[in-house]
Amino acid sequence: MNFIEKFQTFIILIAVGIGLLLGQFSVFENHAERFILPFLLFMLFGLFLTIPLKGLKNAFRNIKFLSTDVMLNFVWTPLLAWGLGAIFLWEHPALWLGFILLLVTPCTDWYLIFTSIARGNISLSTSVLPVNLILQLVLLPIYLLIFAGTRETVEMAAILESVVLVLLIPFILASLTRYFFRTQKDRLEKKIIPFFASTQILFLCLAIVAMFASQGSYLLNNIEVIWIMLIPLALFYIINFIAAQTAGKVFRYSYEDTVSLSMTIIARNSPVALAIVLTAFPDQPLIALALIIGPLIELPVLAIVAQVLLKMKRSKGMN
């Protein structure tokens, strides 16, 4: 892990603090909102550019693992998220929706780091990554319509506009970039992709700064949401860890494959959902706040899970 990856949680916290500080000045509070979307578009362009969609066919070489991954990520997890929200967040509909949208988007980047730390099957984890990305792009607006529609009226046109604007445009631009540089693969792989990969956190933090600056006063008055979300998030991580271990035993996966399954159903992809929320619900910052809180808790959890898995491996006498 490089410096940014190691301290990503603290970098995001600093961005939150800077945004809250700037939000105390009217000049920033009044104009910050217009910068949120451009920063998110740059971040998502970098995210899509770094994902090797050409390896999509590799996922189908292990149908059993892919099926387990898809069922746990896109059927089981949305139901679990809705259930936990119904129990703990029913009095806070905005947080409930943010909580659901956070949990229905599997991670497409840093879970590979923790899979490696726990000695998991990196190639297997990488193979399902593009499948997880494509499915969440397709299903996220459907989840949004279903779950948001249970609490309030949501216009499908607004959701589709958000999807096209913040997901399809950077996705198409990233695909076109790969196409135009197909004859300069060395330059693409060694210069362009590493640059945008390293700047993703920068643009995410700039978007967070802008968002908190534009809604700073409101969010400071609702800081208790961090404690409100702690219990359901903790239960999600625990339950999905147990689910992965159970699936590993039922399907007789190796330790390495079980680690890969554990990480892919625990780690979440909040930036993608955040981009949708900021455009579909610009007047409800609590939904976005729920998506920002997630990574602050998730990174320490993934580090702990990696160590727990390694301890389990040693206790079984595995090399």
Side-chain angles (χ1 to χ4, degrees):
M1 299 174 68
N2 60 35
F3 175 84
I4 292 178
E5 289 166 341
K6 286 181 179 179
F7 296 97
Q8 185 158 315
T9 299
F10 300 103
I11 293 172
I12 291 175
L13 278 174
I14 292 171
V16 170
I18 293 173
L20 290 174
L21 180 63
L22 293 178
Q24 305 311 304
F25 301 93
S26 59
V27 64
F28 291 107
E29 186 176 19
N30 294 334
H31 299 286
E33 185 176 348
R34 68 185 62 178
F35 293 99
I36 297 174
L37 184 58
F39 288 144
L40 286 172
L41 289 175
F42 277 112
M43 181 212 67
L44 290 169
F45 171 77
L47 171 64
F48 296 147
L49 188 62
T50 58
I51 293 177
L53 293 180
K54 64 181 181 180
L56 187 63
K57 62 182 180 181
N58 293 333
F60 295 93
R61 294 176 180 174
N62 193 329
I63 291 295
K64 185 169 70 171
F65 184 89
L66 177 63
S67 301
T68 308
D69 169 75
V70 169
M71 287 297 296
L72 289 176
N73 267 320
F74 298 103
V75 179
W76 159 255
T77 293
L79 294 175
L80 174 62
W82 186 90
L84 290 173
I87 296 171
F88 295 98
L89 302 173
W90 65 274
E91 293 182 325
H92 310 277
L95 290 181
W96 187 358
L97 178 57
F99 178 76
I100 290 173
L101 295 179
L102 168 68
L103 299 186
V104 298
T105 51
C107 183
T108 56
D109 43 36
W110 62 35
Y111 80 97
L112 293 175
I113 297 168
F114 293 97
T115 301
S116 177
I117 292 174
R119 305 294 187 269
N121 189 335
I122 292 293
S123 61
L124 185 60
S125 295
T126 304
S127 71
V128 298
L129 188 154
V131 175
N132 287 342
L133 173 66
I134 291 173
L135 283 177
Q136 67 184 266
L137 294 182
V138 172
L139 294 175
L140 187 56
I142 297 175
Y143 292 142
L144 185 59
L145 187 65
I146 292 173
F147 293 119
T150 63
R151 307 296 297 184
E152 56 186 295
T153 301
V154 180
E155 294 184 5
M156 189 62 181
I159 294 174
L160 292 176
E161 181 182 352
S162 300
V163 172
V164 170
L165 185 61
V166 302
L167 295 183
L168 288 185
I169 290 179
F171 183 81
I172 291 171
L173 289 176
S175 300
L176 289 174
T177 301
R178 282 186 170 274
Y179 176 77
F180 287 130
F181 283 92
R182 67 189 185 283
T183 59
Q184 303 177 50
K185 289 186 178 180
D186 194 59
R187 183 183 178 189
L188 178 67
E189 301 291 339
K190 294 184 178 180
K191 292 185 178 181
I192 297 176
I193 290 180
F195 171 78
F196 281 101
S198 63
T199 56
Q200 284 180 53
I201 182 64
L202 170 64
F203 287 117
L204 175 61
C205 286
L206 287 173
I208 290 172
V209 168
M211 190 205 71
F212 274 83
S214 66
Q215 302 287 345
S217 300
Y218 180 83
L219 295 172
L220 281 176
N221 294 329
N222 293 275
I223 201 69
E224 73 278 359
V225 300
I226 295 177
W227 310 113
I228 294 173
M229 287 189 61
L230 269 179
I231 293 178
L233 272 176
L235 286 174
F236 166 78
Y237 295 129
I238 293 170
I239 292 171
N240 261 12
F241 179 81
I242 295 173
Q245 296 302 306
T246 302
K249 290 180 180 178
V250 170
F251 295 109
R252 298 181 180 179
Y253 290 147
S254 65
Y255 167 82
E256 291 77 13
D257 290 359
T258 304
V259 168
S260 295
L261 184 63
S262 299
M263 293 302 181
T264 191
I265 70 168
I266 290 176
R268 302 291 92 188
N269 191 18
S270 61
V272 170
L274 181 62
I276 289 287
V277 165
L278 289 176
T279 51
F281 304 98
D283 57 339
Q284 298 194 48
L286 281 183
I287 301 177
L289 183 60
L291 291 162
I292 290 172
I293 290 171
L296 303 181
I297 299 172
E298 179 181 301
L299 277 173
V301 167
L302 290 175
I304 293 171
V305 168
Q307 296 305 314
V308 169
L309 289 168
L310 287 173
K311 187 174 182 180
M312 291 172 60
K313 181 180 181 180
R314 288 192 293 267
S315 67
K316 294 178 180 179
M318 301 178 184
N319 295 324

